[in-house]
Amino acid sequence: MADKKNYGMVIDTRVCVACSACVYACKSENSVPEGYCRDWVVQETNGTFPKLSMENRSERCQHCAKAPCVIYCPTGASHYSEDGTVQINRYRCTGCKACLAACPYDARYVHPKGFADKCSLCKHRLDKGLETACASVCPTTSLNLVDFNDPEEKALKMMNGKEVYRQKKHAGTNPSLYWISARNKPGA
Amino acid sequence: MLSGTNNAFAEDNGEKVVYSFCEHCFWRCGIAAHVRNGKICKITGSEHHPLSNGKLCPRGTGGIGQIYDPDRLAHPLIRERKGGQSSFRKASWDEAITHTAEKLYRIKEKHGPEAIAMLHHGYGYTFFKEMFKAFGVNKFAKPSYDFCCGPRRQGYEMTYGHPAGTPEGIDIINSKYLVFFGTHYGENMHNTAVQEISEGIRRGLKIIVFDPRFSTLAGKAEKWLPIKPGTDIAMMQALMNVLISEDLYDKEFVAENTVGFDELWNEVQQMTPEKAANITDIPADEIREVARSYASHAPAAAVHPGRRTQWYADGTQRIRTIAILNALIGNYKMPGGIVNYEKFKLPKPDAHPHPHFEKEVWSKYPFFVKTQSANTIASHEVVQQTLEEEIKAWFVYGVNVPETITLGRKTAVEAMQKLDFLVAVDTLPMEVTGYADIVLPECTYLERYDDLDDGRPYRTPFVTLRQPVVEPMFDSKPGNEIARMMAKKLELHGIFEDSVETYLDKRLKKIGSSLEEVKKTGVLVSKPTDLYRKPGEKLTFKTPSGKIELASAQLKAAGFDAVPKYIKHPDPPDGYYRILTGRKPMLTFGRTANNRFLNELPTARENEIWVNPRIAQKHTLSHGEYIHLKNQAGIVSEFPIKVKVTERIREDSVYMVHGYGHYYKKLKWAYTKGASHNQLISKADIDKTIGAVGFQNNFVTFIKEA
Amino acid sequence: MTQTTTEIISTKMNPNVIPHLHIWEWHIPLYLFLGGLAGGLLVITAVMIVIKRHFGIGPRDEGEGCPCLAVRVGSALAPILLGIGMLFLFLDLANKFYVWAFYTTIQPTSPMSAGSWILIAFFPMAILQAMLVNKQFLRNMNIGIVNKLIDWTENRLTLVALLNAHIGIGIGIYTGILLSFFYARPLWSSSILGMLFLISGISSAAALMLLFAPNHEKPIYSKIDANALWIEMVVVGLFILGGITGPANTSGAMMHLIAGDYQMAGMSYMLWFWGGFVALGLLIPMFLEFLEAVGVHIRFPLVAPVLVLMGGLLLRFLIVFAGQTYHTFM
């Protein structure tokens, strides 16, 4: 198909309040087993009283374009999907856990049933043209599902002129999650 | 390669979606409940409902943890006393209802209807209220009025002639500058407001937060000003002082639409920023800068009224101060300022015959709300009247009395033990059900119809339906059915329609709709209303003077201050710290305490006591250590609490999330988790204008070995 | 009082990932140890065969081209030990029913995929060598197919041994590469890890052979062991130096290992590393074998090889555990 997708996320930490709605939505959407999570929220505070700053963010698999998990997977269970996401075929996964060790983001876990598991960027929803469960529930619209091949360049417009970073970019994984820093001034 | 095979829901055949509204907090967002194989598998925000706009907070999603809570009340229970021992036994509905009706009837015959009070919380109470009104009982109390919404409602009402509203009448998305005093957006997760604030931030909203604690909202703020607790009014007066003395206020608006400006100036004249700096711990320059910026962004600026507004005995006056701060910059009905959202115009149900005292208010407080038929007395008055043996029986709907802030746990328990008869309607065994004579298990909000909700004013007024998503589990029943059974037993006829569906359908037919139609999306939404005043438009206010009352003649006439005054509140004794409370974004106190789904996250499992590092050092507390708390009256927390050493709080205060430390064993999950805040309340400060209860003058110290 | 603080609250809760990685327990260190040992045995035995047959150096030949006892036993042990190691590897798999998935694909970038194929290649060659060096014993058993196989290949023992020397080195290095490709784990992310595990495998293999070699063969293996330990000392030194002089990730991870107070079985990494591995596993046996070489006989000759073997095992445990307990690449 000519209009190949390349999904990722733009996460606006300016508005995120670390409410964890994304975590619960993911858990019920994807039947994530009790005690496990595919996404999680982090509230980071820096400084000393009374000079403090805070960033809240919702984290998950980064769907790297150069994913160490895929590189290391001995069976091809972890693979790149044609839509730019990283997926796991649980019917080829031996549970060797190499991908867990390979991931610089610690985004994976071993499902109690034995296979490696992680955020799928709600592939089953993407395939139906829906947003991810986390993005669709997010009350602050901090989580934005984007298609980097989108001719309208929604992602670029969202990030333009703002301080944007990618986590552990220097790890060379080319992650598909972009973060609008909380340090941006309101309305930046 | 195979892909997409890693998902349990890859193929969803036969998924049904039912639209209803949430009951995890008072905001009442629209939900979409997804049902598969007769079980609710997930709950998402209703895309049709204006308050959710397709989004939902964690608690909304957590409904599945509520309905499938293994500890739920499954059968009616009757307390039996045998040889000094008391225990519950299972009973049939008929037996339980007969017993309840008999007992209530006898108490009414012997002591009069005023010996019976209903305490309620949540949206399912309406049918019981109707039943009790027909029975002649008219003492209704909702604890939330006492400490949460009362002051905001009445303080606004006295100033503007209308309540602050839920959602608050602030045009947040268009606002450029919002000032908050202690309210913690993002931690309270009021869906719509959080959505609007986020949109505001994207559009350039600047946020100023006065809070002794570095809240999540403070983390979004341009300025966090760690104000000394209890000094808000001094700060607000100083802001007014700057606005007026530097001529920054909207003179034209004030002259045209307010009364009492001179009295106000008279009062705030003495509160210079330098004086306020001494009181509040915020430098005078900062105060000036905030006042100037606030004025420079007017009218797209506002001071937010907040929630849980009764802290000391001056809660109503504090809200009035906020209302006045807004009035001074002329932001009323201006984009980005104060607006007055409208409610959906749904006609009241047909009146049915009942005694004349429909509007009778039992509260002794002169400015107690008089327009809410479901709230005729403050809940702390119910407790006091029970201790004085005026009230003999309680009918408790969804209020976990010992852990709900009304004069503290000890007093609440004493009152319950004095009662002749206590009926509790609830979905879960709560502390209160442990004291009840009869426990009636209601099904959860996902298994029942309730009355239509037309009570939320918003940009697009709406009416919304609660409908059952699945059949009631166990032997639980919807409130409407329990109320109907009781009415029948008490021989009260003509109150209820044959079925709740008929009743709802009749109400909806009056506006040209039907139950069948509303069931499809769960909501009827009307067009957006005009929020802003037109140039030259004459404003009217439903206050005694018809203007915004900077000085209130009615307060003065009743012996209170016409203009809010700053009164110093006591400082904590040496070695003690003021307890500040709040909530976690995924929890709503008692409603979610036992919700295993919501409590699963490491950040949700227990509450912590936030302690400043300098104070932790002084008391040799280490991060992560478990300690007990002791309040100024010597009450020691029943369960230990984890210490969180954090820079995010002042040295004179500690902070804990309310709603933990449950001591009822039948709450198998919540039992012993964290410490109870309500247990540590032994001092209550009553606001004598409206009858609200503040409890911020309780202080604690740390005990290593209990 | 600190100048600035960072407070991080996270809702993350995945078992064996939080608070730190704990995906590999005893199975993997044991597998790495046995793999290294098997590799080491193969290298030593193959080299012994080659130098004997090619250069005529080495222990006494025991007739008909069958090398000395230690080589014969060592050759037989190599595939057995690796087989046991692979059993542990299998036991570690969380999704055992899908183990076949290793052998339906070749993932060129995955060391584990390469390794699973190398392991398959190891067995035929190692077993062949074991058969050829033990052919007298096998001929006595008179199994038709075995006899045919021996007849067909016995003249090519040198070639088999030459290949096996390479395979042995490959396996030895592979056990280290397996970890060192994980650049997300700073301790493992060192290319010298392959050499370290190889040389440690050789020293352990020499120690093992020293244990069962008849007395007249012992001096050879004692010398091999002493030399291997000496090289291992150097490699360990380079490993440490490369770590502590590296960037924050690497040096932090190295300090976590060599100066860390993280506990393993009730003792800190630092004590395990310096006391357990370096002192007991390297220095003391090296000293003892040096004494042996200069003719000072000690009362308990078995002490040195046992210490070496324990040191080798401990090294795998330390590296596998400390690599997991240190945080990811930052």
Side-chain angles (χ1 to χ4, degrees), chain B residues 441-506:
Chain B
E442 196 187 16
C443 56
T444 68
Y445 70 102
L446 294 164
E447 302 155 279
R448 66 179 196 237
Y449 283 106
D450 275 331
D451 205 348
L452 296 163
D453 179 15
D454 57 339
R456 293 282 172 252
Y458 195 51
R459 296 172 190 275
T460 50
F462 60 91
V463 60
T464 173
L465 171 73
R466 172 166 290 148
Q467 56 174 322
V469 181
V470 290
E471 290 294 304
M473 291 170 67
F474 317 113
D475 197 10
S476 65
K477 283 190 191 299
N480 63 68
E481 210 177 312
I482 305 172
R484 182 177 295 105
M485 286 161 73
M486 282 184 60
K488 204 172 161 197
K489 206 53 96 178
L490 289 165
E491 297 182 344
L492 306 165
H493 304 294
I495 316 168
F496 299 119
E497 299 287 348
D498 301 339
S499 73
V500 67
E501 285 99 330
T502 318
Y503 163 77
L504 295 171
D505 196 45
K506 273 193 181 172

Side-chain angles (χ1 to χ4, degrees), chain B residues 241-507:
Chain B
N241 178 298
V242 179
L243 289 178
I244 299 172
S245 64
E246 297 189 6
D247 250 5
L248 301 170
Y249 68 105
D250 187 335
K251 283 177 277 297
E252 200 181 323
F253 180 85
V254 168
E256 226 167 88
N257 296 297
T258 69
V259 292
F261 180 76
D262 293 341
E263 278 171 86
L264 179 74
W265 174 236
N266 230 2
E267 174 61 37
V268 303
Q269 201 174 6
Q270 42 75 37
M271 191 59 82
T272 59
E274 281 70 23
K275 185 178 172 190
N278 274 331
I279 298 170
T280 62
D281 286 355
I282 304 297
D285 288 350
E286 295 274 27
I287 301 175
R288 284 204 175 85
E289 204 189 308
V290 171
R292 287 170 192 159
S293 304
Y294 175 56
S296 75
H297 288 90
V303 181
H304 196 279
R307 286 212 164 259
R308 233 285 283 141
T309 47
Q310 187 67 25
W311 298 346
Y312 306 93
D314 55 6
T316 310
Q317 291 287 26
R318 187 179 153 278
I319 291 294
R320 267 186 40 72
T321 326
I322 290 174
I324 294 167
L325 256 178
N326 280 306
L328 283 180
I329 61 160
N331 65 4
Y332 193 75
K333 291 202 173 179
M334 292 298 277
I338 302 283
V339 287
N340 189 9
Y341 293 138
E342 286 172 36
K343 289 185 184 179
F344 191 93
K345 288 176 185 64
L346 181 71
K348 290 271 162 253
D350 291 333
H352 47 75
H354 49 69
H356 65 281
F357 48 73
E358 168 85 335
K359 293 245 164 179
E360 191 165 353
V361 167
W362 290 85
S363 176
K364 65 183 178 198
Y365 299 104
F367 297 100
F368 188 88
V369 61
K370 295 188 178 65
T371 50
Q372 290 187 319
S373 63
N375 194 27
T376 59
I377 183 167
S379 55
H380 77 272
E381 290 179 274
V382 171
V383 171
Q384 280 164 347
Q385 290 186 8
T386 308
L387 290 169
E388 287 154 15
E389 300 188 19
E390 274 177 55
I391 290 177
K392 299 284 184 187
W394 288 7
F395 189 91
V396 181
Y397 179 86
V399 179
N400 189 21
V401 181
E403 293 306 287
T404 303
I405 311 154
T406 300
L407 308 179
R409 183 199 282 180
K410 198 161 156 263
T411 320
V413 169
E414 273 167 26
M416 286 192 291
Q417 284 163 342
K418 280 226 161 167
L419 286 169
D420 286 354
F421 189 53
L422 172 58
V423 186
V425 180
D426 221 318
T427 57
L428 275 168
M430 288 284 184
E431 275 82 4
V432 66
T433 63
Y435 297 92
D437 296 290
I438 306 261
V439 180
L440 302 175
E442 196 187 16
C443 56
T444 68
Y445 70 102
L446 294 164
E447 302 155 279
R448 66 179 196 237
Y449 283 106
D450 275 331
D451 205 348
L452 296 163
D453 179 15
D454 57 339
R456 293 282 172 252
Y458 195 51
R459 296 172 190 275
T460 50
F462 60 91
V463 60
T464 173
L465 171 73
R466 172 166 290 148
Q467 56 174 322
V469 181
V470 290
E471 290 294 304
M473 291 170 67
F474 317 113
D475 197 10
S476 65
K477 283 190 191 299
N480 63 68
E481 210 177 312
I482 305 172
R484 182 177 295 105
M485 286 161 73
M486 282 184 60
K488 204 172 161 197
K489 206 53 96 178
L490 289 165
E491 297 182 344
L492 306 165
H493 304 294
I495 316 168
F496 299 119
E497 299 287 348
D498 301 339
S499 73
V500 67
E501 285 99 330
T502 318
Y503 163 77
L504 295 171
D505 196 45
K506 273 193 181 172
R507 279 198 83 181

